[in-house]
Amino acid sequence: MPITTCIFDAYGTLFDVSAAARRAATEPDHACLAGLWAEFAVTWREKQLDYTWLRAITGAHADFRQVTGEALDWALEAHGLAGEAGLRARLMALYRDLDAYPEAPAMLGVLRRAGKATAILSNGSPGMLGDAVSAAGMDGLFDDLLSVETVSIYKPHPSVYDLVGQRFGCDRSEVLFVSSNGWDAAAAAGYGFVTAWVDRNRAPVERLPWRPAHVLHDLAEIPSLVEALS
């Protein structure tokens, strides 16, 4: 069946999760990050994902804002930065205002003009997603912002992917699901979506029972892929 609906993960796919640490590191008050922001950003992101999975497995759900803050606390302590005045608050504020990848707005515009439904499906809470979209100047480029808060469990639980069909009334085979997270692209493929993994870092494919149908290196390739599939 042709692709009618294009669904995007948010963090790491549309929005650069390293941007908060990178931007803070340029500020005089937070020069402590200048030499290690990239390593710090990786630690923060990895712990953030760890906590979503552990909370999903144990049934101890908390919204993404809380999880992001708890992961940040761990990363700050791990890097010896827990005592840096104002750093935690600044990083949390910047996380609501992450940079979008530069090709994202134009790519979404092409899809909209082609008549495709577009939405975000994210672990992010509704407020975080709304802030990120607005800060990136992408208001009006999505039919909806779908959050795991509707079902109170994180990806890759199938009930999260169920939200797409519930909202758009489409068959799974009509959905192109786009994620830069290999585990997310794999799980969505297992669910039945057509999947595109945006492998920005040329990483190996995840060793899981399912594999993404398409491997891309940035979002600019999405419109041509959708055209080919439609």
Side-chain angles (χ1 to χ4, degrees):
M1 298 180 70
I3 297 298
T4 62
T5 307
C6 299
I7 304 297
F8 296 86
D9 170 63
Y11 297 107
T13 302
L14 296 172
F15 305 110
D16 182 358
V17 292
S18 67
R22 183 175 63 245
R23 288 165 63 185
T26 68
E27 300 171 353
D29 288 346
H30 307 304
C32 58
L33 276 177
L36 55 81
W37 69 264
E39 179 184 357
F40 179 86
V42 170
T43 302
W44 185 8
R45 175 61 170 169
E46 288 179 346
K47 188 57 63 172
Q48 180 192 52
L49 290 174
D50 286 348
Y51 286 166
T52 64
W53 296 327
L54 288 167
R55 285 184 174 276
I57 291 167
T58 60
H61 185 73
D63 75 20
F64 200 58
R65 179 75 173 168
Q66 178 177 332
V67 169
T68 299
E70 291 168 345
L72 175 57
D73 290 335
W74 192 96
L76 288 168
E77 185 172 347
H79 287 273
L81 300 173
E84 292 291 332
L87 181 56
R88 183 190 194 277
R90 182 58 177 149
L91 287 168
M92 288 296 289
L94 287 169
Y95 206 89
R96 297 188 79 99
D97 186 21
L98 295 174
D99 297 335
Y101 286 104
E103 74 273 19
M107 174 274 300
L108 289 163
V110 172
L111 295 178
R112 300 290 286 175
R113 290 190 293 274
K116 305 302 179 183
T118 57
I120 284 174
L121 178 64
S122 173
N123 281 341
S125 59
M128 291 177 72
L129 294 174
D131 286 349
V133 168
S134 293
M138 295 197 296
D139 288 316
L141 293 178
F142 298 102
D143 292 291
D144 213 336
L145 308 178
L146 304 175
S147 167
V148 301
E149 288 307 302
T150 302
V151 291
S152 297
I153 194 167
Y154 287 107
K155 296 181 192 176
H157 195 276
S159 64
V160 177
Y161 302 118
D162 285 341
L163 295 174
V164 175
Q166 292 167 10
R167 168 61 177 82
F168 291 100
C170 54
D171 188 83
R172 297 179 188 188
S173 64
E174 297 177 74
V175 175
L176 178 68
F177 181 83
V178 183
S179 181
S180 66
N181 299 296
W183 55 269
D184 190 18
Y191 180 80
F193 291 155
V194 180
T195 56
W197 175 37
V198 183
D199 180 18
R200 295 182 182 275
N201 299 316
R202 275 48 172 190
V205 174
E206 296 289 354
R207 269 44 175 189
L208 291 169
W210 327 278
R211 294 200 168 201
H214 306 277
V215 179
L216 311 177
H217 298 303
D218 61 44
L219 295 167
E221 302 173 72
I222 294 297
S224 59
L225 173 60
V226 171
E227 183 178 6
L229 294 171
S230 300

